[in-house]
Amino acid sequence: NAGVTQTPKFRVLKTGQSMTLLCAQDMNHEYMYWYRQDPGMGLRLIHYSVGEGTTAKGEVPDGYNVSRLKKQNFLLGLESAAPSQTSVYFCASSQLDLAGVKSGPFFGPGTRLTVL
Amino acid sequence: ILNVEQSPQSLHVQEGDSTNFTCSFPSSNFYALHWYRWETAKSPEALFVMTLNGDEKKKGRISATLNTKEGYSYLYIKGSQPEDSATYLCALMGNTDKLIFGTGTRLQVFP
């Protein structure tokens, strides 16, 4: 049981390049989230998904796109990277039951992205 | 817009001191409140999930209380140890399924 995994762990991009960050979870969780972490800003929600085939915008969605084609995977795309997107990106997943939060969110190890 | 605020921003205490910090959130849009412990270069680690007004949770020397009517939660650490040094985050889940984090309280415990 690997939990939540993220690939890659590190990446350096040039301005204007594109890339996709992959988040995978093996806990059969319905909910998945992408956050970015910047100094003094805490964790800010970029996009999230409440189930396979659904996505929704978070607090800071501009410049990012996401897809949830399979329940276990949540992809974060940067179409044209900008230096302002230099950050550490965390993925998380959770499962809710009828009584409230059952488990999670559990976080992945993070992806450190630098845009030059 | 969910606005989650934490105070203080940072805290320095001596080993053995007890300490507490606050998470404030809009009381009108509450589903669950999470507390996390986050060490540098690691992923956030879940401490508590709280859903009911008046909830009290405890894990070792760390405990938390919840007041959903007035929109706040307290995290207490009894007899702080250097290994308690970390950033403590709270996160609010409202009825929109978003999980919104506060900016955290950075705790440093000196031996």
Side-chain angles (χ1 to χ4, degrees), chain A residues 31 33 35 37 40-43 45 48 50 57-59 90 96-97 100-101 104-105 107-109, chain B residues 2 9 31-32 34 36 38 41-44 46 49 51 89 93 96-103:
Chain A
Y31 293 73
Y33 308 86
Y35 290 90
Q37 185 250 327
M41 304 290 282
L43 288 167
L45 182 63
Y48 65 104
V50 301
K57 293 180 181 179
E59 301 170 277
F90 285 96
L96 298 180
D97 64 16
V101 179
F107 281 82
Chain B
L2 293 179
Q9 197 170 17
Y31 187 84
H34 300 248
Y36 282 84
W38 194 10
K42 294 186 177 179
S43 305
V49 178
T51 56
L89 296 167
M93 179 168 283
T96 59
D97 299 319
K98 292 183 185 180
L99 187 64
I100 303 296
F101 281 81
T103 53

Side-chain angles (χ1 to χ4, degrees), chain B residues 62-84:
Chain B
I62 304 177
S63 60
T65 61
L66 177 67
N67 184 324
T68 59
K69 291 183 179 177
E70 295 182 39
Y72 64 84
S73 175
Y74 293 140
L75 189 81
Y76 301 92
I77 302 179
K78 187 178 177 182
S80 304
Q81 300 296 309
E83 58 264 30
D84 295 329

Side-chain angles (χ1 to χ4, degrees), chain B residues 34-59:
Chain B
H34 300 248
W35 278 102
Y36 282 84
R37 181 174 180 276
W38 194 10
E39 289 183 72
T40 305
K42 294 186 177 179
S43 305
E45 172 198 349
L47 288 173
F48 305 115
V49 178
M50 308 174 82
T51 56
L52 298 174
N53 185 44
D55 253 356
E56 288 189 31
K57 296 275 176 106
K58 191 174 179 184
K59 188 175 182 178

Side-chain angles (χ1 to χ4, degrees), chain A:
Chain A
N1 208 352
V4 181
T5 58
Q6 291 182 232
T7 51
K9 288 188 169 54
F10 304 94
R11 186 73 184 269
V12 178
L13 291 178
K14 293 181 180 177
T15 297
Q17 286 186 313
S18 63
M19 78 162 294
T20 300
L21 282 67
L22 170 64
C23 175
Q25 52 94 4
D26 60 3
M27 298 174 281
N28 202 35
H29 284 174
E30 292 290 336
Y31 293 73
M32 296 187 76
Y33 308 86
W34 274 109
Y35 290 90
R36 58 178 290 172
Q37 185 250 327
D38 302 293
M41 304 290 282
L43 288 167
R44 291 184 292 169
L45 182 63
I46 305 171
H47 286 279
Y48 65 104
S49 168
V50 301
E52 182 179 321
T54 71
T55 63
K57 293 180 181 179
E59 301 170 277
V60 289
D62 294 342
Y64 304 95
N65 56 73
V66 287
S67 64
R68 184 100 181 267
L69 298 179
K70 292 183 180 180
K71 188 177 184 179
Q72 63 268 35
N73 295 338
F74 194 29
L75 279 64
L76 179 72
L78 286 74
E79 288 185 350
S80 179
S84 61
Q85 293 177 305
T86 294
S87 188
V88 181
Y89 291 86
F90 285 96
C91 174
S93 73
S94 69
Q95 186 77 346
L96 298 180
D97 64 16
L98 292 175
V101 179
K102 183 179 179 180
S103 60
F106 299 98
F107 281 82
T111 294
R112 185 173 293 275
L113 176 67
T114 302
V115 183
L116 302 174

